[in-house]
Amino acid sequence: MARLLPNDESGLGALEAGVPEFIDRQMNTPYATGANWYMQRPFNPSLPKELGYQLPLVPQQIYRLGLADADDYSKRQHGKIFAELSAE
């Protein structure tokens, strides 16, 4: 997080503002885990948005897949996962 939002002359960075803790807490809420969502099949992403969410993934799963994709991209482009890259 510090790489994305560093502490600098414009203000606090992500670490100082508690962003990692905030994300961790949010990813363990009923919303993020889909605890209070209707998650029964069929899932049809092509239906109108008015019919509600139509994917079999909850926010926590989508977030984790996004992090994994970012690391995969970083490995392909730079030979290291994102967290291991230098600031440059």
Side-chain angles (χ1 to χ4, degrees), residues 18-78:
V19 172
E21 182 180 350
F22 175 81
I23 292 172
D24 285 344
R25 288 179 184 223
Q26 288 299 308
M27 288 298 107
N28 288 306
T29 63
Y31 171 80
T33 61
N36 53 2
W37 291 18
Y38 180 80
M39 295 295 293
Q40 302 299 313
R41 297 184 186 277
F43 300 108
N44 188 344
S46 63
L47 290 175
K49 301 294 180 215
E50 295 79 22
L51 295 178
Y53 186 71
Q54 293 289 325
L55 295 176
L57 303 171
V58 297
Q60 187 183 74
Q61 294 166 312
I62 294 169
Y63 181 78
R64 288 180 176 158
L65 287 171
L67 291 173
D69 283 349
D71 276 343
D72 288 344
Y73 177 82
S74 180
K75 279 191 249 180
R76 285 193 313 275
Q77 296 297 314
H78 307 288

